[in-house]
Amino acid sequence: MRCLTRLLWLLAALPLAALAQGWKPTKDVEFVIPFAVGGGADLMARVIHKIMVDEKLVPVPVALVNRPGGGGAAGIGYVAASRKGDPHTLILINGTTQITPIMNPNAKTLTEVKPVMNLMLDDFVFFVRADAPWKSLGDFIKDAKSKPAKSMAFSAGGTTDTMAVTVLSKATGVQYNIVSFNSGGEALTALLGGHVQASMGNPLEFMGQLQAGKVRALGVVRDSRFAALPDVPTFKEQGVAAPNFQMWRGVAIPKDAPDEAAAYWEGVMKKVAASPALANYFKENVAQAAPIPSKDFHAFLANQEKLYRELLGK
Amino acid sequence: MSELGHLLAGFSAALTLKHLTMCFLGVLMGQMVGVLPGIGPAAAIALLLPLTFGADPTSAIILFAGIYYGSQYGGTLTSVLVSVPGESSTVMTTVDGYQMALQGRAGPALGIAAIGSFIAGTLGTLGLTLLAPPLAQAALAFGPPEYFALVVLGLTALAAVGSSVLKGLVAGVAGLLIGTIGIDPQNGIARFTFDQTWLLDGVEFIVLTVALFGVGEVVASCALGAARPVADVKNVLPTREDWRASRLPILRGTGVGFVIGVLPATGATIASFLAYILEKKVAKDPSRFGKGAIEGVAAPESANNAAAAGAMVPMLSLGVPGSGTTAIILGALIMFGIRPGPELFTKNADLVWAVIASMYIGNVLLLVMNLPLAGLFARLLKIPYRWLYPPILALCIAGVFSQSNSVQDCWLLAGFGLLGWLMKRYDWSMAPMILGLVLGPLFESALRQSLTLSHASPAIFVTRPISAVLLALALIAVTAPLWTPVFAPRAKAI
């Protein structure tokens, strides 16, 4: 039965193949997720996979494989070792995979893959509890400046949240006391419990609390307002000269795979990006669709790397 | 509408054929997921999530919740029968449950686990029904210093679970040290990884557990060479005496489990450890523990089920995750277009109450499923043990590999399996080592978070009331042997 369906697929793909000269997959494709089942990166890979299958974008079966560990390095290490140059391989990449080698130079990530396309950007929002005295970013900074350094404690749910607080710290010249938690959920819990004064995090975790009026959003770290949060002013609007800071998520193939394969996968990802199912996923997750084609993706990544190194002091 | 009115409406929704089927499927899958060591409920739900897109969210959440609490039943099976904990929260069950199986009492062990789980699951759900919003609000008072104090209280038990105080402490500290391998949770620096990428995430808890208990037991049995006597399966169900001995441990385990479950940073695993330790502390004859005491099965099994119900409290009433699994269920709600948060109870009352009602039903289903199974599986032990070695080892390897598809984890399994055999050979208890690894990361995070908050002043631990009380309890637990003689005469008089 499976053989038959596959044969039918091949037949269906024939006329297409004649049109699109160049590479196309001829055997099963492996979509490697270098993160554990259930995280944000995993979920997005599963949504992309579902769109590829439902909308029949690829003529062969695509299997999802989780290879978690080492901030993406274990999964990409697996690709570099076992699927070297194999164009029948897709890898989910994100800001974390880029930060990993900055922190631990032994862990190789983006240098081992060929980025194909970026799909989304995730924002960082500044939150305080609804009963906090600060009504704006200006209020908060004024108060922080009047007190000794590190008087204001922030909960951060991971390296990227910590970097967002560093952005604020650098832009305002105030040192904050950053308390690291294992997840955005834990950082939120610490804020709700009043153990810290403020938090920086992705809108997703805080959205329910924001809608219920339990927390207040004082600003978002980007150049223009986020369409999903029209009432939240940017840092720049409030006179804080912070660079645009967002986390990206995209797709790559192995480093030595042929350029024709990269072009093929870019075509597939463009169709994925245009799918209403992906738009809906972004809407529910309060994220921004950001299809960046491969010609711009490399420059974007180089730019991000520079910003990350600056923020991490490496 | 009162809670009762809501609950009745929930039952009328949960008792429809569609939701009932989902509830049954959920607990059945949970039961199976529980048996395999590597795949936990969190992974199972994440894998099913994309398949349920477009389905009715209430059905899906009923299914996911069923997987969650169902897995707490399933993990018991392999723990008792073959000394391989199927779930991290059933490690403590292995200690006495496996000894009971060796004595031919696998049936009562599994039976009391099922009954205890049912009572705890039902009482826990009752707690969720009546107290969720105020409890969740109270749990927020637990910040880093409070978690630190709670972990210290748990660590005082290191010596208590071992065969000797010194061995218990050494094994416990070794576990804590293993817990420091990998990326530092505060600064992101790699520790003890020897430039190995695969060590960046540290040693997975399930690898150490399955290696020490499962592989270690198999190797030890092989090394002994002597054929293990085929266990004589006596009574299949717990006797009246078993029931009398387990009654209070089940209730205490439920209490401990529910409270620990409600706290967002602690879950079923820590709950089961604490419940076991509490039983050992209050027992008239603590030396029976580790040798097949039925209280040592009843308490942790009740605690892990109560904790699963407790973890739903912050999830449903505040929209913050109460455990790794509820974090994924929160993600599922988002995918269904439902925004988890403090308004869930009012805005999505239909869903919340149908899920709560389904938890009562699911626990009954699990009891009905597990009591006959207890007898059936207990009979498995009539098979000569030499035929069981290969499938047990296969279960260990498959379980560990399936966790993160990592061959290195299998090598760790072999290495720690050898250690497990040596520990068994020289009568070192393994539970303190596991306890060290479980509590280590939370201990470190909470300590460093607290000291960051206080600008490095340790006073934060004693100036906050909850933390001070917990630390005082820990002090009493440690010094208890010193002043017990003072009370001894009076105790004898009773």
Side-chain angles (χ1 to χ4, degrees), chain B residues 195-221:
Chain B
D195 293 345
Q196 298 295 307
T197 310
W198 58 276
L199 272 177
L200 282 176
D201 279 355
V203 174
E204 282 295 339
F205 168 78
I206 206 76
V207 175
L208 185 73
T209 311
V210 170
L212 290 186
F213 282 99
V215 178
E217 174 66 28
V218 168
V219 179
S221 307

Side-chain angles (χ1 to χ4, degrees), chain A residues 119-233:
Chain A
L119 290 170
M120 74 165 252
L121 286 171
D122 211 353
D123 277 287
F124 291 88
V125 181
F126 182 129
F127 292 100
V128 294
R129 254 162 55 139
D131 56 6
W134 314 288
K135 305 286 178 211
S136 71
L137 189 59
D139 284 357
F140 184 87
I141 296 166
K142 208 171 117 198
D143 198 11
K145 278 188 172 162
S146 70
K147 289 177 176 162
K150 292 198 170 190
S151 290
M152 299 292 194
F154 275 78
S155 61
T159 315
T160 55
D161 294 353
T162 304
M163 288 162 78
V165 184
T166 314
V167 169
L168 177 69
S169 193
K170 287 200 167 195
T172 54
V174 183
Q175 275 198 312
Y176 300 105
N177 192 15
I178 306 174
V179 189
S180 300
F181 290 84
N182 293 323
S183 66
E186 284 180 32
L188 166 66
T189 311
L191 178 70
L192 290 177
H195 305 290
V196 292
Q197 282 77 43
S199 190
M200 285 278 244
N202 304 124
L204 173 63
E205 281 111 4
F206 292 80
M207 213 53 195
Q209 312 293 331
L210 191 63
Q211 285 170 351
K214 297 282 175 190
V215 298
R216 183 158 53 228
L218 295 188
V220 57
V221 202
R222 57 193 252 147
D223 291 341
S224 55
R225 286 196 187 200
F226 181 21
L229 298 166
D231 303 332
V232 180

Side-chain angles (χ1 to χ4, degrees), chain A residues 37-38 43 46 50 66-70 73 103-104 106 150 177-178 180-181 193 195 204 207-209 211 214 284, chain B residues 46-47 49-50 140-143 186-187 190 195 197 200-201 318 334 337 339-340 342 404-405 449 452-453 455 464:
Chain A
V37 171
L43 216 52
R46 284 172 198 281
K50 191 165 191 291
N66 290 84
R67 293 267 176 181
M103 301 299 288
N104 295 289
N106 288 310
K150 292 198 170 190
N177 192 15
I178 306 174
S180 300
F181 290 84
H195 305 290
L204 173 63
M207 213 53 195
Q209 312 293 331
Q211 285 170 351
K214 297 282 175 190
E284 299 299 356
Chain B
L47 291 171
L49 189 48
L140 286 179
F142 263 69
Q186 300 288 302
N187 303 333
D195 293 345
T197 310
L200 282 176
D201 279 355
L318 288 181
I334 291 167
R339 184 67 55 200
S404 54
N405 296 331
Q449 286 159 357
T452 307
L453 277 175
H455 302 282
R464 295 174 52 134

